Amino acid sequence: MGILLTLCMALTMLPTMAFAAEAVTILSYPAKTEYTVGEGFDRTGIKATAIVGGEKKDISSEISFRNSGNVTLNQGTVFAYIAGKQEITLRWTAPGEKTSQIVGKYTVTATGTYVPPAQAAPTPNDTTYKLYDAIDNGWYSIRLGPIGGGGGGLMYAGGNDTFINIDSVGKAFLRTGGRATKFYVEKKRVVDRDWTEITIKMADGRYLGIAGEIDNRAMYKVGTNPVYRAKPDGDIVGEFPSGTILEVTEIKGDWAKVKHEGREYYMWVARLTKVNTGGTRVAAVSNPYLWQISFGNNVAMRPSEDPKMMVRPAEKGYPDGAGVVLSEYIANYTDITFEDWSIPISNAEMAGFFWDAFSILGYHYPAEGPKDLHERLRKEGGQAEEFRGSIVLCYAWGVFTDKNMNWSANPTYGEFTSYLIKLMDYNKSRNSPRFSAFTNDTIKSFAISGDTSANAKITWEQAAALQYKTIHWAAAEHLRLGEWSGLLDRVESHISAVPKNLTSSGRASGQTPAPAPTPTNTVTATPTNTKFMLNGEEVALPAYSIGGNNYVKLRDVGALLKTRFDVRWEDGKAKLYNHAAYTKTSGELAAIGKDSKSATLSTTDFVWGDTGAAVTGLTAYTIGGNNYIKLRDIAKLFDFDVDWRDGKAWIEPDVSPYTED
């Protein structure tokens, strides 16, 4: 049989194939051999016959195709994600055979660069708007670390108690137990079915944003056998040192295209591990910055300007002190909670706290509550259903007796502590009669903060502290009696329950939340212990801390830098001259003492001496008759770098220009 050829095809022809008296002949191959990257496969033009049972049969529709990656190509299948040549094999399964055989081959060429198709965002629905409406503007601590369901129906941090804080140079970092730092969350709009947009404001009037431009490169670390090739399945051309950090520009199947020192190579994906390099730091910024958060108790957070990125710790495992950075967005990965610890708990949540106290101590009392209570709570729904296991046990232990409790209502401090005493009385009767009595005096010794009057609504902060200290008290009693000697080690690692995310359920309907903060006219300035380095040498630079930032006297910086800028008081204004020798007056670099002082927003007009134009971007406070300005604002104004490393502030006018990071 003849084989049809066309000049535009590069074909590798196989001889006529024979399978148990059947012979296959390829009459013509698919006409399309030139593709654009991302274009679908086209099988048009294939013609083939086979001798079956002594008769010729048209098998064109039975021919299947596979590319060099062994991907089956149907009509329209996208198979080329990178430019280059690919060998396509033709396969056919003979009658009575279980596997297909190769009956032909040809080569196609792909050109261009792959651009993923745009995916339409899911349309918001009624559930979306209900979740959006449930979000309360207000002050929240921001935990970065996974949480999950725990004992009693409560949400628990999975061994992480790390919260986003801001250091003295404005960079975000993780602080263990740092939930005292609060941010004002203000919702802006619904983005799509799964995401909403917010701003996050700080107490000093700045916003949580990013430092500099977003670096959205995907960075990976090389592991074992780190060989690389010029093309997928090509010959090995070299080997990276183990631990090398590479940018991955594309992953397709088993292969990753990596970039190193301006050149591109291919490596097995299995040899690479995703890392968060900290290329873009989350930081304090002057203007509102838009973030997107997913709906839920624990959420993902990503910048609106580049939703392909998300907020993550710079180091594995959420360690104390780790930087907070942007990393490549991972679908369905949620490890952020916005927590308001000042809200009251509900009666249902109180039951969860009580159940969990026994669970942490390892007490498991077989008990049954009122008949049909489980089913009644399930039908009631809401928190009654969510916490029904804990509620039933509290009845069984004699802690609750009122069968008509409102589970969404908020208990008072007096109610919570009276129930807690009942709980520990039951524990003493069942577990250790030699325990000391657990009384109101015991609770007073815990020194719980906040309003502890009997009629005050008990907050999450107070309930968690009472639970934690009660567990410690019971553990200490076991040790006093010579029992359970290893228990305290277990108790020390206990993490308190986490309030439900982004909702202040304790606020009365229609009550207006606290307004977003703005810089106050009068603040307290505290002398800082920051060590300052100038071109590698430690210098004495008097500074105050205001809102976690170093504020220094403008003239002190001018005196230290000598030739970077000058400050002159002329015509009732502070005139600044860039790249001018500093004119010394008196009082530069004078010690400021150890006492905190009152600081008021300065009314001084700062202008450029050569043009008279107003200087923008400065926030100045008057302390003792002198203007103190944020060090980073001065650095940005006169274009020299200030970096924070090794616990010191490095002023580097001769090293590099100003950078946000």
Side-chain angles (χ1 to χ4, degrees), residues 83-103:
K85 295 181 181 297
Q86 287 196 43
E87 185 179 71
I88 308 298
T89 59
L90 286 66
R91 307 181 74 93
W92 179 66
T93 303
E97 298 290 334
K98 294 183 179 180
T99 59
S100 63
Q101 302 292 330
I102 296 176
V103 295

Side-chain angles (χ1 to χ4, degrees), residues 470-497:
T470 298
I471 293 169
H472 262 276
W473 177 88
E477 285 291 294
H478 280 299
L479 289 178
R480 181 180 65 82
L481 297 171
E483 304 168 350
W484 248 344
S485 60
L487 183 60
L488 267 181
D489 293 334
R490 182 180 175 193
V491 174
E492 287 295 342
S493 64
H494 174 56
I495 301 297
S496 295

Side-chain angles (χ1 to χ4, degrees), residues 50 52 96 145 151 159 172 176 193 302 392 529 539 557-558 565:
V52 180
T176 299
R193 184 193 65 194
R302 61 192 192 186
V392 169
N529 293 321
V539 294
V557 179
F565 65 89

Side-chain angles (χ1 to χ4, degrees), residues 413 440-450 452 465-466 469:
Y413 187 87
N440 278 318
D441 287 336
T442 307
I443 294 173
K444 288 179 182 178
S445 71
F446 294 162
I448 303 300
S449 61
T452 58
L466 279 168
K469 293 190 176 185

Side-chain angles (χ1 to χ4, degrees), residues 17 24 29 45 52 67 73 149 219 237 309 339 364 391 408 437 446 482 517 562 570 573-574 577 622 625 630 660:
M17 310 297 292
V24 175
Y29 285 77
V52 180
N67 71 349
L73 305 181
M219 307 303 290
V237 295
M309 308 297 288
E339 301 169 10
H364 300 286
I391 293 170
S408 62
F446 294 162
K562 297 180 181 179
E570 299 172 343
K573 300 177 181 179
Y577 295 84
T622 300
K630 193 188 306 180
E660 289 288 351

